[in-house]
Amino acid sequence: MRFSSCYIPTLKESPADAEVVSHKLLLRAGMVRRLTSGLYIYLPLGLRVIEKIGRIVREEMEKADFRELLMPMVQPADLWKETGRWEHYGKELLRFKDRNEREYCLGPTHEEVITDLVRGEVRSYRQLPVRLYQIQTKFRDEIRPRFGLMRGREFVMKDGYSFDATTEGAEKSYKAMYDAYMRVFKRLGLRFRAVEADTGSIGGNFSHEFMVLADTGEDTIAFCHDCEYAANVERAEVVWKGQPATAACPAMETVATPGAHSVEEVAAMLDVPASSIVKTMLFKVDGQTVAVLVRGDREVNDIKLKNLMKAQEVELADAATVQAATGAPVGFAGPVGLGVPVYADAELQGGTDYVVGANAADAHIRHIDLKRDASVTAWGDLRTITTEDQCPRCGGRMELTRGIEVGHIFMLGLKYSQAMHAVFLDENGKEQIMIMGCYGIGVSRVAAAAIEQNHDEHGIVFPPPVAPFECMLLNLDPRSEEVNAKVEEIYALLQGMGVEVLMDDREERPGVKFKDADLLGIPAQLVVGGKGLARGIVECKDRRTGEKGELSVDSLEQDFTAWIEKVRQGWASR
């Protein structure tokens, strides 16, 4: 492709509204343009990136025996009402009515549609398993769409679905997709981890997220150095292996703590470590007010609370709710005499002589033994894991890192098939419910995540499988007939070798071309100019390492083949 005939409107500066690296560089590199909040136009180079990611995804889906179809983006409300998600999905589901007042939504996902399709066709166990997928535009009405393709309202997604007759079959489908995802992200040239994850609004029995590792990631991953265990911190287990405290605790004592709302303020005022303070947090769980207790130097994990209580919605209680439940302003809640259910983190069983809020303004209570002085409804894992904790699988050392979720697979079980009566007749002629799995990859998000992980001060540094082109051919003297002729010859040679090449044939200064070449992040650069040709050489540059070299014009095919393989191997061996 020729630069002059391809629409690549590069920018010298980042737009003011671009916040994260991928957003800035996608705009600067002329790959996307914002239409309105959360909606983006994919320009030619950006579309090539999306299509290359999609091609790899399709190839691995087919290897896993998943077959492609395409479902409508617009979905009738009736299907969503069957599963109850019409009411529970939230405001991210864009609902609307047609001219006949029938209700519809723009699909953020397609569990209902695919289940309706399969239940209308499959009658016998002999027709199972069914494994289908699509790559399609989705829409989620995010309240604050930010960060370009990282969190837009409209996005390109691969969503796949499996229907099996048995649990063993469903687990086989899940494993096939897990393995396919591992191959996809390896082929894309990304550094990633597969981690255990919460099932969220999709639901189901268990799930894994596939996280691209990047310092700018919005999710935190906990992983073990000694085994393969890894999990999103929302899911990461904290296994308390201590013994219940047996030491005697003095009688309770109420103390004045004027103005001390935070753990840090209370610890300083009473001269105690944060670990000796019990933090009492109030939440609204499906409309019910509950209290959660964790050590003062820990954080409540509301996802774990949601799962423990098998709830639909969990949110931190507002100041009015705290006042009504405790009789005190925020910062002074405590479990003693509290008239709401109290859930305590298991770790608290290992200590005693705690400090808690007194449920009165400017006061706390010392010398608390929770089993003696408070009524705990249930103990459990209710906090966020830290690097102080041991691996829940092998007891090894845990570490936290940042990641960007680009894929998520779910073992749904019967959640949708039961609600929508997707059934089949088994070998005995008895009606059974299909067992489902669903599997998503954010195709457009992968493009952004690749940039978040691979960039420098000059621009994008695309892995070869993701890059819009593998090689950029720069003509430094487009007014020279000799240089033009040689550039055209090299262009034809590279295309004949099967190399995807973008030829910069613009009548621009060399400095502009060099900057744009680095900005676009194409892995290999070939530079052709009059001075170099006079010496019988073509200059080359590895965009990832910045390493420059020279290739002989007389043996260009041979030299280029060896050099481009070195560039590819450099990526593969990272």
Side-chain angles (χ1 to χ4, degrees):
M1 188 177 293
R2 299 170 189 272
F3 205 121
S4 61
S5 62
C6 182
Y7 188 65
I8 312 175
T10 59
L11 304 173
K12 292 182 179 180
E13 303 293 336
S14 299
D17 63 340
E19 298 178 64
V20 297
V21 171
S22 61
H23 192 191
K24 294 174 183 177
L25 292 179
L26 282 165
L27 290 168
R28 285 194 57 211
M31 295 190 180
V32 302
R33 285 294 180 265
R34 180 178 181 271
L35 176 62
T36 188
S37 177
L39 305 181
Y40 288 86
I41 300 166
Y42 299 98
L43 302 185
L45 258 59
L47 183 59
R48 283 184 68 92
V49 172
I50 297 297
E51 288 175 340
K52 292 184 78 171
I53 295 168
R55 187 181 310 126
I56 290 174
V57 170
R58 283 187 169 94
E59 289 171 1
E60 295 302 335
M61 292 303 103
E62 294 296 322
K63 288 180 186 177
D65 287 333
F66 278 68
R67 303 300 171 225
E68 188 171 10
L69 80 167
L70 185 61
M71 293 176 278
M73 184 182 184
V74 174
Q75 303 180 25
D78 290 347
L79 295 180
W80 284 70
K81 289 178 180 178
E82 281 190 61
T83 62
R85 289 209 298 174
W86 186 257
E87 294 78 21
H88 292 302
Y89 196 89
K91 294 182 179 179
E92 288 77 21
L93 186 67
L94 183 60
R95 304 163 175 86
F96 62 96
K97 294 181 180 180
D98 68 7
R99 66 180 66 193
N100 296 310
E101 292 298 303
R102 289 186 289 253
E103 293 181 300
Y104 294 88
C105 65
L106 291 185
T109 183
H110 276 68
E111 283 81 13
E112 284 82 1
V113 175
I114 197 74
T115 305
D116 181 58
L117 171 72
V118 173
R119 72 177 174 180
E121 306 284 345
V122 174
R123 294 288 181 264
S124 168
Y125 72 95
R126 294 187 180 90
Q127 295 169 274
L128 298 171
V130 172
R131 296 172 172 178
L132 301 168
Y133 80 96
Q134 65 173 348
I135 295 179
Q136 189 224 43
T137 298
K138 308 287 190 184
F139 189 91
R140 292 177 186 164
D141 199 9
E142 296 278 358
I143 187 171
R144 284 183 295 273
R146 303 166 62 196
F147 312 146
L149 301 188
M150 289 285 289
R151 189 181 288 279
R153 292 194 293 169
E154 185 179 274
F155 52 96
V156 180
M157 181 177 173
K158 188 285 301 182
D159 51 320
Y161 306 90
S162 62
F163 297 80
D164 283 271
T166 65
T167 299
E168 293 76 17
E171 290 175 350
K172 186 177 179 180
S173 292
Y174 188 93
K175 181 62 164 59
M177 193 52 49
Y178 179 94
D179 292 343
Y181 275 39
M182 295 294 285
R183 295 193 301 269
V184 164
F185 294 115
K186 285 178 182 176
R187 287 185 60 186
L188 289 171
L190 302 173
R191 288 176 283 110
F192 72 98
R193 289 292 296 258
V195 305
E196 295 181 14
D198 185 69
T199 56
S201 63
I202 300 295
N205 301 333
F206 57 87
S207 71
H208 284 84
E209 289 174 337
F210 292 79
M211 311 285 275
V212 168
L213 306 181
D215 292 337
T216 54
E218 59 185 5
D219 292 304
T220 302
I221 307 164
F223 67 93
C224 178
H225 276 277
D226 301 323
C227 74
E228 292 299 312
Y229 178 76
N232 191 303
V233 289
E234 294 177 344
R235 170 85 180 193
E237 302 168 44
V238 179
V239 179
W240 182 67
K241 297 180 179 179
Q243 296 296 319
T246 58
C249 181
M252 291 188 295
E253 175 191 0
T254 301
V255 293
T257 53
H261 297 266
S262 69
V263 168
E264 293 77 16
E265 290 168 341
V266 174
M269 186 173 291
L270 300 182
D271 192 25
V272 296
S275 58
S276 292
I277 297 173
V278 171
K279 187 159 48 178
T280 304
M281 306 287 291
L282 268 64
F283 290 85
K284 298 287 286 187
V285 180
D286 289 343
Q288 178 189 18
T289 302
V290 304
V292 180
L293 311 183
V294 295
R295 228 170 66 177
D297 56 343
R298 308 300 196 197
E299 296 297 328
V300 174
N301 187 320
D302 58 345
I303 298 297
K304 291 182 178 180
L305 174 63
K306 181 179 179 180
N307 293 336
L308 177 69
M309 297 189 65
K310 296 180 172 58
Q312 293 290 330
E313 295 183 0
V314 172
E315 60 180 351
L316 193 63
D318 58 23
T321 300
V322 173
Q323 180 76 42
T326 69
V330 173
F332 299 98
V336 179
L338 193 58
V340 302
V342 175
Y343 295 85
D345 184 68
E347 181 183 36
L348 292 172
Q349 297 175 89
T352 187
D353 200 7
Y354 289 117
V355 174
V356 302
N359 296 322
D362 297 329
H364 281 74
I365 305 175
R366 303 186 72 148
H367 310 313
I368 291 294
D369 183 310
L370 290 174
K371 292 183 179 180
R372 181 192 70 190
D373 302 320
S375 178
V376 176
T377 304
W379 302 83
D381 175 14
L382 290 170
R383 68 175 176 86
T384 300
I385 197 168
T386 72
T387 54
E388 297 175 12
D389 295 306
Q390 294 181 342
C391 172
R393 298 290 183 270
C394 74
R397 181 168 62 90
M398 296 298 294
E399 187 167 324
L400 303 180
T401 188
R402 306 292 294 177
I404 301 167
E405 181 193 340
V406 290
H408 205 157
I409 60 176
F410 301 82
M411 176 63 79
L412 292 177
L414 307 179
K415 177 178 172 66
Y416 296 91
S417 51
Q418 188 169 57
M420 299 184 71
H421 197 63
V423 299
F424 65 96
L425 298 180
D426 64 17
E427 56 268 35
N428 299 315
K430 185 178 180 181
E431 188 175 271
Q432 303 288 349
I433 301 171
M434 299 178 203
I435 302 173
M436 290 178 61
C438 76
Y439 318 96
I441 289 179
V443 175
S444 51
R445 202 164 211 253
V446 168
I451 297 170
E452 292 291 333
Q453 187 181 83
N454 302 284
H455 65 272
D456 60 20
E457 67 272 21
H458 303 296
I460 301 168
V461 186
F462 272 127
V466 179
F469 297 91
E470 186 171 24
C471 182
M472 190 161 182
L473 178 60
L474 285 73
N475 183 344
L476 297 190
D477 297 311
R479 296 181 182 180
S480 165
E481 292 184 9
E482 178 189 3
V483 173
N484 277 336
K486 182 54 69 174
V487 168
E488 292 291 344
E489 180 184 326
I490 296 172
Y491 183 53
L493 172 66
L494 295 177
Q495 289 184 313
M497 295 169 63
V499 177
E500 294 179 321
V501 56
L502 175 64
M503 180 172 69
D504 192 344
D505 58 341
R506 297 173 297 168
E507 291 193 5
E508 285 282 2
R509 300 187 310 277
V512 172
K513 294 188 176 186
F514 289 140
K515 286 185 178 181
D516 279 350
D518 282 349
L519 177 61
L520 296 180
I522 295 170
Q525 297 175 17
L526 288 185
V527 181
V528 184
K531 293 181 179 179
L533 290 181
R535 295 171 48 223
I537 61 98
V538 170
E539 296 177 4
C540 60
K541 177 182 173 181
D542 183 334
R543 175 66 183 90
R544 182 179 68 87
T545 64
E547 182 180 350
K548 297 179 181 180
E550 296 179 349
L551 308 179
S552 171
V553 172
D554 293 335
S555 56
L556 187 60
E557 182 173 358
Q558 179 180 346
D559 288 0
F560 178 82
T561 299
W563 175 72
I564 196 67
E565 185 59 28
K566 180 182 176 183
V567 172
R568 294 166 181 164
Q569 288 302 317
W571 275 98
S573 62
R574 286 185 311 154

